[in-house]
Amino acid sequence: MKWLGRRQSDNVEDRRGLSGGKAVVGGGVIGIVILLLNVFGGETGKTVGNALEQIQGGQQQTEAAAPLSKEDEEMGNFVRVVLADNEDIWSKIFSENGMTYEKPKLVLFRGSVQTACGGASSASGPFYCPGDRKVYMDLGFFEELKTKFGAKGGDFAIAYVIAHEIGHHIQTLMGTSAKMREAQEGKSEAQANKLSVALELQADFYAGVWAHYNKENLDVGDIDEALSAANAVGDDAIQSKMQGQIVPDSFTHGTSEQRMYWFKKGFSTGDIKQGTTFEEIR
Ligand SMILES: [Zn+2]
């Protein structure tokens, strides 16, 4: 994707340098435990424990920032451009439909993060929290997408995932997410999962709509990168990799084929009214 020299969003909160990673904090505390026990012996164990809690609490806040590499900085700037693109395109689409687009924040983190939806770690993958209307991402996820799930990778895979998470923000603004959760109440797990699939596929559709209006900035191969990422994160692909079998009733995001289909539909039509995943997938 062409992004150098283009507008960067101010709505990225870069916390990558702040957390310093869990391992560093843990290592420091363990180091102190051993030191204190050696000095004071068993009897003062309780005092040591209290002191440790304080040290641990203090340390997490004052942990020295891990400096960002040049590559990290560049990735951050790329994310800022993709977010700016989403802001421009969705502001326009919303105003054309008589609505106002509220710009969400995007938080870059490493290791673990606190959100209005609870604590999360890199292992949860990128996500959107409706409680604080922020997208959370650890860019390390994209390495895993390549190494564990066999996606092609590339910058547009990241752009697709950002646009998908923004898709959940669109659904929050439009009230679709709230309606979906209401509809899930009292349903069987399989039925509730089907509604979740419809919501996820619609977010893929919105990512496609974003790509449609960003055509002039696309490079050859970008759409393939997005489709490859969509293919890699299909429920069937993930289940067959992780547990060796596929259980369709437990799908929450849709199959690889469905995810690619809805992204492509958004990309080819650019028409938000055609994201009819709730009517078509039952
Ligand atoms: Zn999603």
Side-chain angles (χ1 to χ4, degrees):
M1 191 184 111
K2 295 173 187 66
W3 66 277
L4 285 168
R6 297 183 50 221
R7 183 176 87 79
Q8 297 187 8
S9 170
D10 296 327
N11 291 310
V12 171
E13 282 176 24
D14 198 341
R15 298 188 198 163
R16 290 177 297 172
L18 299 177
S19 62
K22 256 186 179 166
V24 178
V25 175
V29 172
I30 289 163
I32 291 160
V33 174
I34 292 163
L35 182 73
L36 291 179
L37 289 182
N38 282 346
V39 174
F40 299 111
E43 254 187 52
T44 45
K46 214 176 167 187
T47 327
V48 172
N50 289 343
L52 273 176
E53 271 176 34
Q54 285 164 13
I55 293 165
Q56 195 167 14
Q59 262 216 344
Q60 275 170 340
Q61 280 155 20
T62 54
E63 185 66 37
L68 298 183
S69 68
K70 235 187 136 191
E71 204 189 352
D72 292 334
E73 296 281 4
E74 190 167 80
M75 290 284 277
N77 290 337
F78 173 73
V79 167
R80 285 181 185 89
V81 172
V82 174
L83 188 62
D85 263 347
N86 273 279
E87 288 169 351
D88 294 345
I89 288 164
W90 286 110
S91 295
K92 189 164 176 283
I93 294 175
F94 267 58
S95 80
E96 281 167 4
N97 288 278
M99 300 179 287
T100 311
Y101 182 66
E102 290 164 41
K103 296 170 187 169
K105 299 257 191 241
L106 188 154
V107 179
L108 291 175
F109 73 96
R110 268 182 193 151
S112 57
V113 71
Q114 278 306 321
T115 82
C117 302
S121 75
S122 314
S124 20
F127 65 98
Y128 171 76
C129 169
D132 53 22
R133 300 196 169 181
K134 290 181 182 181
V135 173
Y136 292 88
M137 290 177 98
D138 181 333
L139 293 172
F141 168 77
F142 295 96
E143 264 316 298
E144 274 193 26
L145 205 57
K146 272 197 289 188
T147 52
K148 272 201 198 147
F149 299 106
K152 279 184 185 171
D155 63 354
F156 209 75
I158 300 176
Y160 152 69
V161 172
I162 295 174
H164 170 96
E165 299 309 335
I166 298 294
H168 288 312
H169 176 64
I170 307 290
Q171 293 170 325
T172 300
L173 294 181
M174 290 190 175
T176 318
S177 311
K179 256 190 251 163
M180 193 274 303
R181 270 187 286 276
E182 224 168 81
Q184 275 181 325
E185 269 172 46
K187 294 266 167 37
S188 70
E189 204 182 325
Q191 280 300 323
N193 284 344
K194 282 214 170 87
L195 289 165
S196 159
V197 167
L199 194 78
E200 291 301 329
L201 294 177
Q202 194 180 53
D204 284 332
F205 171 83
Y206 288 146
V209 169
W210 165 75
H212 174 90
Y213 290 104
N214 197 30
K215 264 183 193 155
E216 80 240 46
N217 295 309
L218 298 189
D219 289 324
V220 177
D222 274 352
I223 295 302
D224 281 346
E225 284 173 10
L227 291 175
S228 170
N231 186 35
V233 293
D235 285 322
D236 50 347
I238 289 180
Q239 286 189 355
S240 67
K241 272 243 153 63
M242 306 304 271
Q243 57 198 43
Q245 55 175 339
I246 297 165
V247 188
D249 273 355
S250 70
F251 286 178
T252 51
H253 283 72
T255 63
S256 299
E257 202 187 318
Q258 287 172 322
R259 300 200 69 165
M260 293 195 286
Y261 170 83
W262 285 100
F263 176 84
K264 276 195 266 186
K265 191 172 180 189
F267 180 63
S268 61
T269 64
D271 176 7
I272 55 162
K273 294 190 177 67
Q274 295 197 40
T276 53
T277 56
F278 286 91
E279 288 91 75
E280 287 181 50
I281 297 154
R282 286 169 208 273

